[in-house]
Amino acid sequence: MEKIHPSHQGHSRQEIIEILEGLAPPELAEPFDSGRIGLIVEGKNEINRINTCLDVTPTVVRAAIAQNADLLVAHHTPIWNPLTRINGDNALLLSEILSSGLNVYVMHTNWDHAPGGVNDILADILGLTDTTPMSLGLVGTCSITLEEITQKLHAPLRIWGKMHSIRRLAIVAGSGFDIDIIHEATRLGADAFLSAELRHSVFRSSPIPLLESTHYALESPSMRVLAEKYGWNYIDDPPQLLTHA
Amino acid sequence: MEKIHPSHQGHSRQEIIEILEGLAPPELAEPFDSGRIGLIVEGKNEINRINTCLDVTPTVVRAAIAQNADLLVAHHTPIWNPLTRINGDNALLLSEILSSGLNVYVMHTNWDHAPGGVNDILADILGLTDTTPMSLGLVGTCSITLEEITQKLHAPLRIWGKMHSIRRLAIVAGSGFDIDIIHEATRLGADAFLSAELRHSVFRSSPIPLLESTHYALESPSMRVLAEKYGWNYIDDPPQLLTHA
Amino acid sequence: MEKIHPSHQGHSRQEIIEILEGLAPPELAEPFDSGRIGLIVEGKNEINRINTCLDVTPTVVRAAIAQNADLLVAHHTPIWNPLTRINGDNALLLSEILSSGLNVYVMHTNWDHAPGGVNDILADILGLTDTTPMSLGLVGTCSITLEEITQKLHAPLRIWGKMHSIRRLAIVAGSGFDIDIIHEATRLGADAFLSAELRHSVFRSSPIPLLESTHYALESPSMRVLAEKYGWNYIDDPPQLLTHA
Amino acid sequence: MEKIHPSHQGHSRQEIIEILEGLAPPELAEPFDSGRIGLIVEGKNEINRINTCLDVTPTVVRAAIAQNADLLVAHHTPIWNPLTRINGDNALLLSEILSSGLNVYVMHTNWDHAPGGVNDILADILGLTDTTPMSLGLVGTCSITLEEITQKLHAPLRIWGKMHSIRRLAIVAGSGFDIDIIHEATRLGADAFLSAELRHSVFRSSPIPLLESTHYALESPSMRVLAEKYGWNYIDDPPQLLTHA
Amino acid sequence: MEKIHPSHQGHSRQEIIEILEGLAPPELAEPFDSGRIGLIVEGKNEINRINTCLDVTPTVVRAAIAQNADLLVAHHTPIWNPLTRINGDNALLLSEILSSGLNVYVMHTNWDHAPGGVNDILADILGLTDTTPMSLGLVGTCSITLEEITQKLHAPLRIWGKMHSIRRLAIVAGSGFDIDIIHEATRLGADAFLSAELRHSVFRSSPIPLLESTHYALESPSMRVLAEKYGWNYIDDPPQLLTHA
Amino acid sequence: MEKIHPSHQGHSRQEIIEILEGLAPPELAEPFDSGRIGLIVEGKNEINRINTCLDVTPTVVRAAIAQNADLLVAHHTPIWNPLTRINGDNALLLSEILSSGLNVYVMHTNWDHAPGGVNDILADILGLTDTTPMSLGLVGTCSITLEEITQKLHAPLRIWGKMHSIRRLAIVAGSGFDIDIIHEATRLGADAFLSAELRHSVFRSSPIPLLESTHYALESPSMRVLAEKYGWNYIDDPPQLLTHA
């Protein structure tokens, strides 16, 4: 698909939404995402400049406005819990967004599940080959070391359990340490499982070693690559994280 | 209670909220109003000018902003259905409110139930005496005619059933034609029942004649009287309504 | 279909039920009508005389018995709330019905949805042409005035909102002011919407003017026309209604 | 309490209801009996003749009408499942009841739990002494044999498990083989448990032998004794039951 | 199918499970049996000796262990209520089972519904011919007397209602006195209905006489016949039951 | 409390349970722990030797049996999900436990909430002073460095957010990064919050930096200290964990 050159001429919001729905079809979303994907905050109708991000943080919103963005494409909705009042941090954030006319568009579990989406982009970054899809995420042949994984993800890695070599690595971007998916990975020959936000009880039940990175490290590449592909701008806002071992 | 003179000096929002909570204590609200009363949109901290209204319509919001209001006290929340997205008419309305820093404060079923609240103000306007409270609304002695009721309410009146004279009139401001409350009124000696939004099946079960006015006609006086009492400004925005008989 | 001449020979109840099910197929009913349509009170097996009505009121039941009816076809069931006891007005009404052997048969939302049913008969009475069905009710071209609508419906009409001319009128017999259907009507080109029992919050959200008649005025024609078609007798029992404007 | 002589003068239904509520206070009923006790079918206001029964069967209703009864006091309601239609056997039974003006009054779990009620009357018939109440039913010292129990109950008795002698017998009139109550009885020293409608899985878990009589045999004495006490007439309609061993 | 000779060579548990699933396909089970059929306690992998039983009682378990059984095929699961703790009788029973490596396999409602299963075996024992299946159980022509039925079932029989001759007998092994199935049987021409655990209210509604045997008497033959067919051993543990009439 | 010397004489299980219930009163447990605390597997009645642990892993059970333990006191139940079948790893684990007669006793959220329990022991280890309880966990003055915290917990520490110095540290042993508790800690003056299993969305909402250790590191000290206090033996079985940063 050709690039959308924002400097030449504006597009209608509807045109851009159709492109985004092609990338992350809404019907791929999980039921709990009902009402939480697509156009979440409606601003201007004409779109000249597009930004992407993982989370709609105050830092991201201010950067988008400073860059005169008309549309911010995010992975996580800024309104997860349904609102009956707009106050506190929400009031500040929504006031900035609405005052500037910035549109916010979210692609979440539909982007996780999409071909070429969150998990496929992560697999590319790690150089996985011979991939097999799982109910969420995928298993692929891994030819890099743990050190290299850590470097490519720009985030610390915790290795839980007795690690031998990795030949087949299962990956689920985001919070994917689900015991049923881990068993699925094991049946598909995985000898390690990479995701984020491991719970103790899941570790205790896992038949294979678990590699715990961070939510941001695993999901944000998909929003960066999306921006690069279309000539948009990705706004990075990673968590500050230090490790004492 | 003395008037709050907005021209002299500003009050903090918290001071005003305490006054409003004294008038319509939050603990009097129905359970379904949870999250739908109190400060619904948070704007500026300092309050110099206050408006009241029944509904937070676009007309009302524009008038409030034109009058430099800092706080709009409404009976009906502008966010009844919990929001996971802000679009369409909601986006326009909330954008205007948030951009201007206007606070929106709602007193709903707590104001209906409060002594001196919606129903008591309606009783005053109709000149009811010897009033007895019901589970919602009240019964009082009525000494005016149907024509006079119509005039005082500034809205057409439908009389359902065989009307004799009215000695004791039950009133429930808003949508109060509930068959259990009608029976309660009958037990308390009411020979007519005034409310809004009558349903056919309720009429069929009613032992007494029913007087159907409009929601706006019955509830808006409480917001007008509230404004008058404190030297604030009431913004009127009644429905356009014509009757062919 | 030929007339069913009650004076010549009796029909079995089952024969009549099959005719009624052909007119208003039970499978068209809404789920909430489960157990509330069809034969609601079982009386005699042989049917010589049939009456129709909108509601099974005491007035209607006495008239039906006085006319020696064996079957009363109604739009609204006399047992909406499931009974575990039979007392008060219910005991009186059911006692009269059961003592006389009168059958009561109800066609409700299946008759609303049926081709040639409640809404189509209302459209005929108003002379609508070029009709398009909606999820409930229909939109049609209207060539009569508001005064003529009022006269044909034999009930007062309230016009809510700024009324221009009506070219395309949406109608939903009964209590049909549902905001989703109003939006559907708007998309189909309606410039006004006729139904009954308007709620204030729906009016506030409506993009087109709303014409509020009464439940009885909109639904009873279907029971009168049904009786005329088959040579039965329709028993009229409209609400007493006066308007002060 | 003195007898209510029906031949001398009529009582209002309300007077009789107050007596019955004194015997079986409605507040003792189980929650599932909500709406299923008290005046279930409302007939005449004046009560000259009263009958009692266990079940409101066609046989019982016809006998009550033949005896010119105005009130039938039953243990089991004739409308257990809430009705939205009245047809089949229900239509026949309710038609007979409503046509004759017979009132039907039900005392069920409130009568089970009442002092002097179903279980106490059963204990009297079996001659139990030194009784201790359980959460339902009671435990008492038993000085009669199994043969005598069978004779007094006029129904066959099944003995499940290894029976030694009975010193302390637990009884729950009706369907009371609940494993928690059986354990309660065991803790209270019972060496056998008498009730009706034993399920196999309960037998398998019981630490003491179980005596299974019939529902009718255990509960109907309370309605017979009630009639005798007040000079009313008890209508017996036991199940036909034969045993092949 | 040929016999599985335990003395010659062992089978894997999986082989035996496949045979049992062929007899009682898991997909025939009722939804409430989810998790309660199939391999309930996992023991040894190699199966040389198989026992069958109705209930997994302590008597049965001890007999199975004494006979060096590796697999116990039961009709009723020993873990009906989901366990979060293992104590009391459960601890003793499960300790014996787990210590000995005995496998417990359950076929319950899948065996009830299976062709050649519980109900078909009962029909064979009673010599029913020209059978027609019902939603549960079946109806067949019966040419034996009540005395013969009692003898073949080795348990007392209660006959409820007016018994004429039996030409067509409906049977539901287990606790099958469901009023809907009784009506189904009546429509299929049954003049009596045999099952276990009759409730009084069902008797009151039944249009045909009811024959009440015991749960054990009706279901255990299927486990005995199953054992005989494959050369396994059936462990009998009937309830002790005496009748006083 | 004096030590319980296992070598001298046995105690009844009930005596030991009373001591444990005194330490972690069952009524302090969360509702979701219903059925999941207390005696989870019932073994021998006489207790001579007691072990403690965090999780009932195969490693722990084998060590307890090798040490001839009669009772294993654990923080996490081995049967979290209610069982209707015992198979796979569960069958192996429960078989070892039941065969050996080992009792398993669990103190979970009652031990978390108990004075002197999980959180108080963690506070002692970190040397917190001037502690204030929260709805879960506590806030205290911290005089050690992040390096020292890491050393005392024997597990890596992740610091999320901009860390200044720690004066007041909030701690919740286990998985306690709940946004409401974090806000509670902030109101109580905490400038950092230590717990385990941080989720990305909680981090994004937190007003203070978060210190993420491991579930095992934070909770196991309470079981070790408990053992030391009474002269029992603690069985350590930490997760294998390596960090690449």
Side-chain angles (χ1 to χ4, degrees), chain E residues 62-85:
Chain E
R62 277 165 215 150
I65 293 171
Q67 296 176 21
N68 290 317
D70 306 305
L71 172 61
L72 180 60
V73 182
H75 189 48
H76 295 138
T77 179
I79 314 181
W80 182 261
N81 296 309
L83 297 176
T84 53
R85 56 176 83 245

Side-chain angles (χ1 to χ4, degrees), chain F residues 39-245:
Chain F
L39 188 64
I40 292 300
V41 183
E42 182 179 339
K44 301 166 196 160
N45 286 319
E46 189 183 310
I47 307 297
N48 288 294
R49 195 170 288 273
I50 300 173
N51 280 177
T52 70
C53 65
L54 191 75
D55 302 307
V56 186
T57 63
T59 300
V60 165
V61 167
R62 275 164 216 150
I65 293 172
Q67 296 177 21
N68 289 316
D70 306 304
L71 171 62
L72 181 60
V73 181
H75 188 49
H76 295 138
T77 179
I79 314 181
W80 182 260
N81 296 310
L83 297 176
T84 54
R85 60 175 80 245
I86 297 179
N87 58 3
D89 291 345
N90 268 327
L92 293 174
L93 192 70
L94 289 171
S95 180
E96 291 194 68
I97 295 171
L98 285 166
S99 301
S100 69
L102 179 65
N103 291 280
V104 177
Y105 183 94
V106 169
M107 37 205 251
H108 187 218
T109 51
N110 49 334
W111 185 224
D112 289 338
H113 291 293
V118 180
N119 285 292
D120 286 352
I121 290 171
L122 179 60
D124 277 356
I125 283 169
L126 298 175
L128 300 190
T129 54
D130 295 319
T131 58
T132 306
M134 299 193 294
S135 55
L136 187 64
L138 52 86
V139 178
T141 296
C142 180
S143 55
I144 62 175
T145 64
L146 293 174
E147 282 71 20
E148 287 168 318
I149 292 175
T150 305
Q151 284 163 19
K152 285 174 185 292
L153 295 176
H154 305 292
L157 196 65
R158 287 177 165 182
I159 300 103
W160 297 79
K162 195 175 285 179
M163 191 72 221
H164 304 289
S165 62
I166 309 177
R167 272 178 305 253
R168 294 286 285 172
L169 176 65
I171 62 171
V172 180
S175 176
F177 285 120
D178 179 278
I179 193 65
D180 292 333
I181 304 180
I182 294 171
H183 283 300
E184 185 183 0
T186 308
R187 285 192 301 273
L188 291 170
D191 38 28
F193 192 107
L194 170 67
S195 191
E197 299 177 14
L198 177 60
R199 285 177 297 118
H200 176 73
S201 57
V202 171
F203 162 69
R204 281 298 193 202
S205 305
S206 176
I208 54 174
L210 305 176
L211 310 187
E212 184 190 15
S213 182
T214 71
H215 209 99
Y216 194 90
L218 298 178
E219 294 196 330
S220 63
S222 72
M223 303 312 287
R224 182 171 46 74
V225 167
L226 174 67
E228 287 165 2
K229 180 172 173 187
Y230 287 98
W232 304 336
N233 194 22
Y234 169 67
I235 304 173
D236 198 22
D237 184 22
Q240 284 189 291
L241 172 57
L242 288 177
T243 295
H244 283 269

Side-chain angles (χ1 to χ4, degrees), chain C residues 27 33 79 101 104-106 121 123 129 147 167 183 193 198 205 228 235:
Chain C
E27 61 272 22
D33 257 342
I79 314 181
V104 177
Y105 183 93
V106 169
I121 289 172
T129 56
E147 283 72 20
R167 273 179 305 254
H183 283 299
F193 192 107
L198 177 61
S205 305
E228 287 165 2
I235 304 174

Side-chain angles (χ1 to χ4, degrees), chain B residues 30 79 153 180 198:
Chain B
E30 298 285 344
I79 314 182
L153 295 176
D180 291 333
L198 177 61

Side-chain angles (χ1 to χ4, degrees), chain D residues 18-40:
Chain D
E18 280 162 22
I19 292 169
L20 295 169
E21 288 187 353
L23 294 169
E27 60 272 22
L28 296 184
E30 297 286 344
F32 61 73
D33 257 341
S34 172
R36 295 189 173 91
I37 59 166
L39 187 64
I40 292 300

Side-chain angles (χ1 to χ4, degrees), chain A residues 49-71:
Chain A
R49 195 169 289 272
I50 298 173
N51 280 176
T52 70
C53 64
L54 191 75
D55 303 305
V56 185
T57 62
T59 300
V60 165
V61 167
R62 275 165 216 150
I65 293 171
Q67 296 177 23
N68 290 316
D70 306 304
L71 172 62

Side-chain angles (χ1 to χ4, degrees), chain C residues 35 37-42 79 82-88 91 94-95 98-99, chain D residues 35 37-42 79 82-88 91 94-95 98-99:
Chain C
I37 59 166
L39 188 64
I40 292 300
V41 184
E42 182 178 340
I79 314 181
L83 297 176
T84 53
R85 57 175 83 244
I86 298 179
N87 59 3
L94 289 171
S95 180
L98 285 166
S99 300
Chain D
I37 59 166
L39 187 64
I40 292 300
V41 183
E42 181 178 339
I79 315 181
L83 298 176
T84 53
R85 56 176 83 244
I86 298 179
N87 58 3
L94 289 172
S95 181
L98 285 166
S99 301

